[in-house]
mmCIF file of all heavy atoms in Angstrom:
data_model
loop_
_atom_site.group_PDB
_atom_site.id
_atom_site.type_symbol
_atom_site.label_atom_id
_atom_site.label_comp_id
_atom_site.label_asym_id
_atom_site.label_seq_id
_atom_site.Cartn_x
_atom_site.Cartn_y
_atom_site.Cartn_z
ATOM 1 N N ALA A 335 -33.757 46.852 84.696
ATOM 2 C CA ALA A 335 -33.372 45.785 85.621
ATOM 3 C C ALA A 335 -31.928 45.348 85.402
ATOM 4 O O ALA A 335 -31.319 44.772 86.306
ATOM 5 C CB ALA A 335 -34.301 44.588 85.425
ATOM 6 N N ASN A 336 -31.381 45.637 84.229
ATOM 7 C CA ASN A 336 -30.035 45.179 83.889
ATOM 8 C C ASN A 336 -28.996 46.243 84.262
ATOM 9 O O ASN A 336 -28.262 46.113 85.223
ATOM 10 C CB ASN A 336 -29.990 44.831 82.398
ATOM 11 C CG ASN A 336 -28.653 44.222 81.982
ATOM 12 O OD1 ASN A 336 -27.788 44.015 82.811
ATOM 13 N ND2 ASN A 336 -28.513 43.935 80.705
ATOM 14 N N VAL A 337 -28.942 47.345 83.516
ATOM 15 C CA VAL A 337 -27.910 48.359 83.731
ATOM 16 C C VAL A 337 -28.472 49.616 84.402
ATOM 17 O O VAL A 337 -27.716 50.456 84.869
ATOM 18 C CB VAL A 337 -27.226 48.721 82.390
ATOM 19 C CG1 VAL A 337 -26.142 49.762 82.559
ATOM 20 C CG2 VAL A 337 -26.647 47.480 81.745
ATOM 21 N N VAL A 338 -29.767 49.753 84.481
ATOM 22 C CA VAL A 338 -30.484 50.905 84.993
ATOM 23 C C VAL A 338 -30.448 52.063 83.999
ATOM 24 O O VAL A 338 -31.477 52.465 83.480
ATOM 25 C CB VAL A 338 -29.982 51.388 86.376
ATOM 26 C CG1 VAL A 338 -30.800 52.577 86.867
ATOM 27 C CG2 VAL A 338 -30.042 50.270 87.398
ATOM 28 N N VAL A 339 -29.260 52.571 83.694
ATOM 29 C CA VAL A 339 -29.170 53.697 82.766
ATOM 30 C C VAL A 339 -27.777 53.717 82.163
ATOM 31 O O VAL A 339 -26.810 53.376 82.843
ATOM 32 C CB VAL A 339 -29.487 55.039 83.496
ATOM 33 C CG1 VAL A 339 -28.400 55.369 84.504
ATOM 34 C CG2 VAL A 339 -29.668 56.185 82.526
ATOM 35 N N PRO A 340 -27.643 54.070 80.884
ATOM 36 C CA PRO A 340 -26.307 54.167 80.285
ATOM 37 C C PRO A 340 -25.562 55.397 80.790
ATOM 38 O O PRO A 340 -26.076 56.200 81.561
ATOM 39 C CB PRO A 340 -26.604 54.265 78.792
ATOM 40 C CG PRO A 340 -27.990 54.795 78.707
ATOM 41 C CD PRO A 340 -28.716 54.268 79.899
ATOM 42 N N VAL A 341 -24.341 55.554 80.321
ATOM 43 C CA VAL A 341 -23.446 56.596 80.813
ATOM 44 C C VAL A 341 -24.034 57.984 80.534
ATOM 45 O O VAL A 341 -24.201 58.389 79.376
ATOM 46 C CB VAL A 341 -22.064 56.464 80.153
ATOM 47 C CG1 VAL A 341 -21.109 57.508 80.703
ATOM 48 C CG2 VAL A 341 -21.501 55.065 80.370
ATOM 49 N N GLY A 342 -24.306 58.731 81.592
ATOM 50 C CA GLY A 342 -24.942 60.034 81.438
ATOM 51 C C GLY A 342 -24.101 61.032 80.706
ATOM 52 O O GLY A 342 -24.593 61.815 79.866
ATOM 53 N N ILE A 343 -22.791 61.085 80.982
ATOM 54 C CA ILE A 343 -21.944 62.089 80.362
ATOM 55 C C ILE A 343 -21.708 61.814 78.882
ATOM 56 O O ILE A 343 -21.146 62.669 78.184
ATOM 57 C CB ILE A 343 -20.591 62.220 81.095
ATOM 58 C CG1 ILE A 343 -19.843 60.873 81.059
ATOM 59 C CG2 ILE A 343 -20.789 62.693 82.521
ATOM 60 C CD1 ILE A 343 -18.435 60.961 81.609
ATOM 61 N N ALA A 344 -22.091 60.640 78.411
ATOM 62 C CA ALA A 344 -21.832 60.273 77.023
ATOM 63 C C ALA A 344 -23.016 60.488 76.094
ATOM 64 O O ALA A 344 -22.845 60.596 74.880
ATOM 65 C CB ALA A 344 -21.407 58.801 76.955
ATOM 66 N N GLN A 345 -24.224 60.524 76.621
ATOM 67 C CA GLN A 345 -25.401 60.442 75.768
ATOM 68 C C GLN A 345 -25.566 61.630 74.823
ATOM 69 O O GLN A 345 -25.839 61.462 73.617
ATOM 70 C CB GLN A 345 -26.657 60.268 76.623
ATOM 71 C CG GLN A 345 -26.732 58.924 77.313
ATOM 72 C CD GLN A 345 -28.032 58.746 78.045
ATOM 73 O OE1 GLN A 345 -29.111 58.874 77.485
ATOM 74 N NE2 GLN A 345 -27.943 58.413 79.331
ATOM 75 N N GLU A 346 -25.426 62.837 75.336
ATOM 76 C CA GLU A 346 -25.614 63.994 74.468
ATOM 77 C C GLU A 346 -24.533 64.074 73.408
ATOM 78 O O GLU A 346 -24.761 64.478 72.263
ATOM 79 C CB GLU A 346 -25.650 65.284 75.281
ATOM 80 C CG GLU A 346 -26.022 66.521 74.479
ATOM 81 C CD GLU A 346 -27.421 66.462 73.878
ATOM 82 O OE1 GLU A 346 -28.284 65.738 74.425
ATOM 83 O OE2 GLU A 346 -27.656 67.127 72.846
ATOM 84 N N ALA A 347 -23.313 63.672 73.763
ATOM 85 C CA ALA A 347 -22.218 63.651 72.789
ATOM 86 C C ALA A 347 -22.533 62.689 71.651
ATOM 87 O O ALA A 347 -22.260 62.968 70.467
ATOM 88 C CB ALA A 347 -20.913 63.261 73.465
ATOM 89 N N VAL A 348 -23.112 61.539 71.978
ATOM 90 C CA VAL A 348 -23.491 60.578 70.947
ATOM 91 C C VAL A 348 -24.595 61.143 70.071
ATOM 92 O O VAL A 348 -24.597 60.967 68.853
ATOM 93 C CB VAL A 348 -23.915 59.244 71.602
ATOM 94 C CG1 VAL A 348 -24.568 58.325 70.577
ATOM 95 C CG2 VAL A 348 -22.704 58.560 72.224
ATOM 96 N N ALA A 349 -25.542 61.851 70.665
ATOM 97 C CA ALA A 349 -26.596 62.495 69.880
ATOM 98 C C ALA A 349 -26.007 63.470 68.869
ATOM 99 O O ALA A 349 -26.429 63.502 67.708
ATOM 100 C CB ALA A 349 -27.591 63.215 70.812
#
Side-chain angles (χ1 to χ4, degrees):
N336 186 3
V337 181
V338 181
V339 67
V341 183
I343 60 173
Q345 291 185 54
E346 188 62 25
V348 169

